[in-house]
Amino acid sequence: MPDLDRAGLRADCAQCFALCCVAPAFAKSADFAMDKPAGRACVNLLEDFRCGIHTELRPRGMPGCTVYDCFGAGQKVSQLTFGGRDWRRAPETAKLMFEVFPVMRHLHELLYYLTAALDLPQAHPVHNGLSELRERIGLRTEEDPAELRETDVGSLRGEANALLLRASELARASVKGKKKNHRGADLIGARLKNANLTGANLRGAYLIAADLRGAELRLADVIGADFRDADVRGADLTESIFLIQSQLDAAKGDGSTKLPPSLARPAHWG
């Protein structure tokens, strides 16, 4: 049986070889102050795998780094898949390690969502299917690097999406009355202050810079929703379905924002 403890689905940077600072590429934009090709270490990465500007990422034009979440894939690849051999002291591992990391991240992201779906009591009819797929993906994350690299992530995503969608429908069905459907909607800058979005479908919605102050988002499905610069001050996100930490990190909130106990209030909210 794979180790599917929830703690393993949270990033532990101290146990990782800074894979997110090396493996992915990023382009100069509002999220990053510079271009970086895939497989090349960020210029701010120190020899001990720490970030040289970690406390200044936002003012230094690197907010994209502050909202990145590997779902624990970094430490898994570093400590389990490659047995603690880092790409600097064992450069022969670098290419394969950087290829495996994004695969592991996809798998850990799926594990996170499947685990969240299993926490929904209303989704009991699909709990067996969720558990079976979760175990199968968990076992896949423990394969050797070469086999792991060849994982058909798309197929697993398809299986997971069908189950997660059904779990969401079952959970949101408990909300009485007509529910708003904004799946994939362009809500950039939308005025949604004090909006009742209980049980709404916001899957993949663009909520960039939306005014969600005081909005009710209990049992709203927010998987894949873009919360960059969305104002969630006073909003109720306590039971939002599939809400993740990086969505909160990208938003603007304060002490009045209601959050689920499993997620942390971002430090930059003040």
Side-chain angles (χ1 to χ4, degrees):
M1 289 286 291
D3 179 8
L4 298 177
D5 182 77
R6 188 185 291 272
L9 301 177
R10 291 194 293 267
D12 183 354
C13 298
Q15 297 299 316
C16 178
F17 302 137
L19 297 183
C20 66
C21 303
V22 188
F26 52 74
K28 187 174 181 179
S29 62
D31 294 319
F32 299 102
M34 58 190 163
D35 294 326
K36 188 195 81 65
R40 182 181 298 176
C42 174
V43 296
N44 297 306
L45 185 63
L46 304 177
E47 288 298 315
D48 62 358
F49 300 115
R50 294 175 182 270
C51 174
I53 61 168
H54 180 69
T55 59
E56 303 175 343
L57 283 168
R58 287 180 178 273
R60 296 281 288 271
M62 302 292 283
C65 296
T66 67
V67 300
Y68 181 84
D69 190 349
C70 76
F71 298 96
Q75 67 259 27
K76 186 76 160 283
V77 171
S78 299
Q79 303 301 331
L80 178 66
T81 312
F82 285 87
R85 293 175 297 154
D86 74 70
W87 52 271
R88 277 184 168 147
R89 290 183 297 179
E92 70 279 4
T93 66
K95 183 177 184 296
L96 184 55
M97 188 180 296
F98 300 155
E99 291 173 345
V100 165
F101 172 64
V103 175
M104 184 71 83
R105 186 195 176 280
H106 284 306
L107 297 181
H108 268 231
E109 181 181 22
L110 291 178
L111 289 174
Y112 180 96
Y113 285 127
L114 292 168
T115 300
L118 283 165
D119 286 339
L120 297 171
Q122 306 96 323
H124 179 74
V126 291
H127 276 188
N128 286 342
L130 291 165
S131 296
E132 187 278 329
L133 182 57
R134 181 171 175 264
E135 181 179 344
R136 184 150 44 93
I137 293 175
L139 289 169
R140 188 66 182 174
T141 67
E142 298 183 351
E143 296 282 3
D144 65 65
E147 291 189 9
L148 190 56
R149 180 180 55 183
E150 302 306 315
T151 300
D152 186 348
V153 173
S155 177
L156 292 172
R157 276 196 175 279
E159 288 187 63
N161 185 61
L163 288 166
L164 295 175
L165 182 58
R166 182 57 182 149
S168 169
E169 291 171 344
L170 289 166
R172 291 185 295 112
S174 64
V175 178
K176 296 180 179 180
K178 187 176 181 180
K179 296 169 282 292
K180 294 181 172 60
N181 183 4
H182 294 307
R183 182 172 184 175
D186 182 352
L187 296 172
I188 297 174
R191 297 178 180 178
L192 297 167
K193 183 179 180 181
N194 297 321
N196 182 8
L197 295 170
T198 305
N201 185 346
L202 293 167
R203 294 170 69 91
Y206 296 94
L207 292 163
I208 301 168
D211 183 357
L212 289 163
R213 288 175 294 170
E216 182 61 69
L217 290 155
R218 289 182 303 108
L219 291 176
D221 185 342
V222 298
I223 193 169
D226 192 337
F227 278 86
R228 281 179 293 170
D229 293 324
D231 191 340
V232 295
R233 289 175 293 174
D236 189 348
L237 296 156
T238 50
E239 296 180 73
S240 296
I241 302 171
F242 304 134
L243 181 69
I244 60 176
Q245 187 64 48
S246 59
Q247 288 173 310
L248 295 179
D249 293 339
K252 296 178 179 179
D254 62 13
S256 66
T257 307
K258 299 176 183 177
L259 304 177
S262 60
L263 299 178
R265 192 174 304 278
H268 70 275
W269 282 12

